[in-house]
Structure formats: structure tokens, C-alpha cells
Amino acid sequence: MAIIHELSPHLADLIAAGEVVERPASVAKELIENAIDAGSTRVTIEIENGGISYLRIADNGCGMSAEDAPIAFRRHATSKLRTEADLTAIGTLGFRGEALAAIASVTRIDLFTRQKGAIAGLHLHLEAGEIQTQEEAGCPEGTTIVVRDLFYNTPARMKFLKKDFTEAGYILSVVQHAALSHPEIAFCLIRDGKQVFSTDGKGKLMAPVFAVFGKEMTANMIEVPRCERNGMTAYGYIVKPHAGRPNRSMQHFFVNGRYVKSRLMQAALEEAYRNAMITGKYPSGAVFLELPLAAVDVNVHPAKTEVKFSQEKPVFEAVYVACKNAIAANDNMPYLTHQEKKTVEEKPKESIPVYTQQRFAVSKPATPVSSTAKMPEPPELEDFLVAVPPRAKKPSFSGTYAAAPRIIQENRSDLAFHHRIDEPMPEHKPAPIVQTPSEPVTKRGIDAQPSAAQSLEPLDSGARVIGECFQTYLIAEDRDGLILIDKHAAHERLLFNQLRQEAEIPQQELLTPVIVELTGEEASAVQSGLEEIRQAGFAIDSFGENSFAVRSVPAYLDSADVPSVIGELAEKLMHSRTAVPDRLDDLIHTVACKAAIKAGKASSRTELQALCDRVLADNDVQSCPHGRPTTVRLTKYELDKLFKRVNQ
């Protein structure tokens, strides 16, 4: 007796349905994709009971002829593939010819279709994949498919479905993805007789973005302009760094108009927010990638939601660079605002003077003194805000760092400016943002040109420091309202940004080496990462089995912090699993955090004003490297509203 036998066509269809049709949303996805491939400009989806008992998809596409419609329900029947070569350049959403056959095998279906210009249309009624009725019918141009009683002949599958409201939510997600990927198509979703989602189909991406993400999140979004790189184009909309979410549920990725689940694109997006978004939060947005059809394989999963790229690195770079530049070019300061109402303006009883000088104004630096002056102690906040002339990027990243103190005249309100005596330094190569070697890198983003704000000349931001509270938060005012700045977070970010850009990190030699004792595992990690630690500004060597002697440290770092910093560097090296575009960021971040002014430490008015000017002059200081915001604005209108000077 034969053990191996061929499955019946019906059983084969049921197995195929198990791969393609998981729930009502799977049916909706396949039918919506067919409507898009048919050239529709309007698609209407109507569901009842979460799509389990009733699901209707109506489009105004090309329709089908009376000859083609019955064939469409056969397995592997498709109009989108002809030859084997077509598999290497799939430009349609559907192509396998399995969807209609799989759906029909577990449902009851009514199909109404009419080609453009045809006098009459066609009606088909199918149950369990078999055509029960085929007749002419009067119907609009396009195709309408009504799917009833999902899994009526496979009740075991029913128990895996969720409640109606949940299943309806999955269908809504499918419609949203289709609307985002095709803003030129008007989509409408009707649930239990009520319209719950719609787009205008006018071709502007902002319309479906607003419909999908809502008013509040869209207000915190920035556009990612079209960025061409490696023969690919990336664009979309992403949230500002302060608007992170506790999960990734609002991350949407699209490749050549197809919604996909891509860990590669997800990693590229999140890497763009590195050191800008608070730990534990995730970015949201819709990111689109266009690339040659031959560079991506969409035939790797029955549901077609996963793709494989022929080259992953160029894809990562294209998404990362586009998102990174969009974030760097935007003012990411959170605002505490309220929509102003048109009311008669009341004259305040008292006017508060504010500075209105032009932002980024530059004053003259102090005259330097002799280069033989004694080296200053490790600087605090005022020593960091120095006037060092900008240096051109050196391809070799080698040379020396100029240093000697500059002392300004007494009784001036400006800061002291410093540079340091020439002394040999270890070679340091700042970690680049993903790019080609010939492209310049700045903290403003990829391909950006150096600006006046990047130099450390004295600046006037147009804001006046009022004071500080809790010895932690700086308070300033400008013509728009109050500005609150976290001193430690802002100073840490300033240090971090400067250290990332230094061709050679300034060092100070310790009078006596600091011996750091580590555990065996930590010592092994430090030993393997010695070169990276040296590039971060340390002169460090082995000193025994699990000990290291630190002879020089970054000039901004207090020698008392050396043991804890080396310990933290060891911890980071131990848990570093993969290389990232900014390879030294973790190490430099640790140095910046320890060197920054501490919360709870009183600061002079001069220090506060200098810090305020630096922060407001640089959009890249809107968050600390941990991702916490450095600056928050409270508008004048909000203050007036609190004190009942304006109507609510």
C-alpha cells in the first residue's frame, strides 16, 4: 500500500490558506493590494463583526473580463508574471496568484466586476473555492468583492481569532499602511456602518500621515526630505526626538510602495536618534525607501511583509543619513504652548525689558597672553566655553593641539578664553556618520557646511538670563517667553559635541598616574579596547594582571573621576555587541557626562549667560547624549493665561 500520496486540490488550497489567510486583516490586505495593482484611484472597505462575517472591498480599477474572472480564483493564476526573469524585478504588490484561491477556499465570495467601457459586468458566487453562480450583472466599473463567513468550513481556525473590535483594529492597520504608501489613492474604511478612516487621495503624503498619526503626533513630526544615496531614495516623516514613545508600534517602513517589517530599516531609524532620544523611548514615523527592483527580493514570505535586500549596508546608510540630517536640521526644542485666541490685546501694567539683539551675533575675543603661561587647572563650565579658532578637518587626523591660557581684562562680564600649549597627542579619528570618505562630517548632519555658530566665539542669543532655581535649572527670557535650561544636560551635550569633532582631543598629564583596579572580565574588555580608549583622550597602559595605569586624561575631566570613568568605559566595552556609525560615541559620552557641571552646583551669572547663549545658538543641543531634553520653553501667552491676563 502506497504511503506517499498526492493531496487533493481542496486540501492543498486549505493548506495554502493557512499560510496566506491568518485573519480578516489578511483577506483585506490581499484584496486591497489587488485593487491598487488594478490602477484604482478610490478604494472603499466595509466590514462588520471585525470582518469575520462581512468584508467588502470596492475599487474603481480596470476590472476583469468575463473570461479572466473565473480563472483568477485558480491556484497560481496571475496576470503579473510571465517568465522566470520577471521574478527578479517585481513591481506589483501581488504576483503569486495564490491569494484569491486561498481566500475562496475558506469563505463565501461574491465578485462583481466590469471593465471600463463594457456594457455589462459579471457576477460570480463561490463557496469553498467552487464557483456556484456565474452570470451577467449591472455593476459599476472596477471590482467589488464581498467576503462572508470567514473559516465557516474550518471551525478549528475560528478559535484563533480575537474579539471583533481587535480584528477590526488589524484591518484598520492594513488600510492605514495602504494609505501611507499610496497617497494618490482615496481610501475609506467603514466599520459597522460608521466611517472610521478616510484620505483624500490628492497625492500629498501629509494627508495620510495626519490621518494615521493624529493631530498631536503630527504636530511633533518633521519631514525627511528626499535624500538620494547609493542609488536609493529615502524620505518620509519622523517625530522630533523629545516625542519618543514607549514602544515601536508607530514605526512604519515601506519599500517601493510596499509595507514591510524590516529590522534593518528599524535599526537605521533608531540609530539616527542615537544620543538624542531618552533611553527606553522609541521614534515613530513613516519612512519610505525607493530602490531598483532587482536590489530587493519580495518573494521570501507568503504574506509578502518581509523582504531581503541584496546589499544591506547601502540600505542602512540611505535611511540613516536621510533621518539623521532631518533631525539635525530641525529645531527640536519642546514648547509648552496653547493655541492663542484672537482677543483684544491688553497692555501689561509692567513691561519687562528683554534683549533683542540679532541671534548668533559675535563679539571680539580677548587678546591672548604669552604662550609660556602656566597650564590652568581642569576647567569647570566657564573654561569649557572657550574661543578656539575652528580648525580645518585633516584627512590624517594627526598633529598637535594648540594650548595656552587667555585672560581677559578684569571687571568684564565676558568669559575667560583659553587655548593650550603645543604638546604631542595620540592620534584620534572621530567616529564618522555613515558616509563616503570624501564627504565632510559636522554636528549639523551629513554634507553640512561649517557655520559661524560652530566656532567658539562669544555669542549673543537674544535671551537674557534671569537666574537659576535649585542650582540646577537656568532661567532666561526672550521676546517669546521663558526658557528653562538643564545646566548639566546642556553642558554635557556641548562637551559631547565638541569632543566628537576634535581632530585631537585635548589632554592633561597627571602628576602621578592613577592606578585603576578592575575585575577580570572588565580588564579583558579594556585590554581589547585600549586603542579606542586612547582615541577618546586617555593615555593608559596595563599595570599588572587586572590593573591599568592612567597617565593622561581628557583636559575637561577631573582626575578624581578617572577610576569611575574607566569602570564605565569597561562596562560599555563589555556590552558592546555591534559596531555603530559613531563608534567612539559611547566612550566620549562617558567622558562628557563626568566632565559636565554637576546639578546642585551654583553658577555665576556670567557662566549662566554664556551657557544660555551657547545652547540657544545650536539646535544640536536640544537633548543630552542620554536623550533627555536640555531646554523647554514656556511662551508668554501661557504665562498670561496662568495669570488670567487673557481669556482661556
Side-chain angles (χ1 to χ4, degrees), residues 339-395:
Q339 184 66 37
E340 292 195 39
K341 298 179 181 178
K342 294 182 179 180
T343 57
V344 179
E345 219 174 336
E346 295 183 55
K347 186 177 180 180
K349 296 180 181 179
E350 295 182 341
S351 60
I352 302 175
V354 297
Y355 290 127
T356 59
Q357 289 92 335
Q358 183 179 1
R359 192 171 181 177
F360 304 134
V362 178
S363 58
K364 294 182 179 179
T367 304
V369 297
S370 170
S371 62
T372 60
K374 185 179 179 182
M375 194 72 175
E377 291 296 319
E380 296 290 345
L381 173 62
E382 67 274 18
D383 298 299
F384 163 67
L385 301 167
V386 297
V388 179
R391 291 174 287 122
K393 295 290 182 180
K394 304 176 184 178

Side-chain angles (χ1 to χ4, degrees), residues 441-644:
V441 180
T442 72
K443 68 183 176 184
R444 308 293 298 165
I446 314 260
D447 303 329
Q449 296 299 320
S451 64
Q454 288 180 263
S455 67
L456 293 177
E457 297 294 324
L459 300 173
D460 187 347
S461 63
R464 179 172 71 91
V465 170
I466 300 172
E468 63 177 329
C469 61
F470 310 116
Q471 295 184 339
T472 301
Y473 303 105
L474 179 157
I475 307 173
E477 66 168 350
D478 63 8
R479 64 171 61 203
D480 296 323
L482 280 180
I483 303 167
L484 306 177
I485 299 176
D486 185 323
K487 293 193 305 181
H488 172 77
H491 189 205
E492 179 183 357
R493 185 69 191 211
L494 287 166
L495 279 170
F496 177 75
N497 288 351
Q498 184 179 7
L499 289 172
R500 292 174 82 190
Q501 294 184 48
E502 293 290 352
E504 298 91 18
I505 294 181
Q507 285 182 306
Q508 60 174 338
E509 187 172 348
L510 302 176
L511 293 177
T512 58
V514 175
I515 308 302
V516 180
E517 299 282 347
L518 301 173
T519 66
E521 190 177 2
E522 290 173 338
S524 177
V526 169
Q527 188 66 45
S528 63
L530 274 181
E531 186 57 35
E532 292 176 10
I533 295 177
R534 287 166 181 160
Q535 290 177 2
F538 293 85
I540 181 172
D541 297 293
S542 297
F543 190 79
E545 186 176 356
N546 294 326
S547 302
F548 292 86
V550 181
R551 295 179 171 81
S552 295
V553 298
Y556 308 116
L557 191 64
D558 193 310
S559 60
D561 291 328
V562 171
S564 63
V565 170
I566 298 299
E568 289 186 26
L569 296 184
E571 183 73 14
K572 292 182 183 296
L573 290 169
M574 286 166 54
H575 294 90
S576 178
R577 291 171 291 182
T578 57
V580 296
D582 299 313
R583 185 163 178 78
L584 293 177
D585 274 6
D586 279 348
L587 308 185
I588 292 174
H589 176 197
T590 300
V591 174
C593 184
K594 290 295 183 182
I597 187 172
K598 303 299 187 290
K601 181 179 186 291
S603 303
S604 68
R605 183 63 61 91
T606 300
E607 289 179 304
L608 296 175
Q609 186 67 58
L611 179 62
C612 177
D613 291 340
R614 297 285 176 238
V615 171
L616 297 183
D618 189 349
N619 285 340
D620 199 28
V621 191
Q622 299 307 320
S623 66
C624 75
H626 298 92
R628 292 188 294 106
T630 62
T631 310
V632 173
R633 182 183 290 277
L634 182 62
T635 64
K636 182 179 181 300
Y637 177 79
E638 283 295 322
L639 288 171
D640 288 342
K641 191 178 73 171
L642 288 171
F643 287 97
K644 310 301 181 185

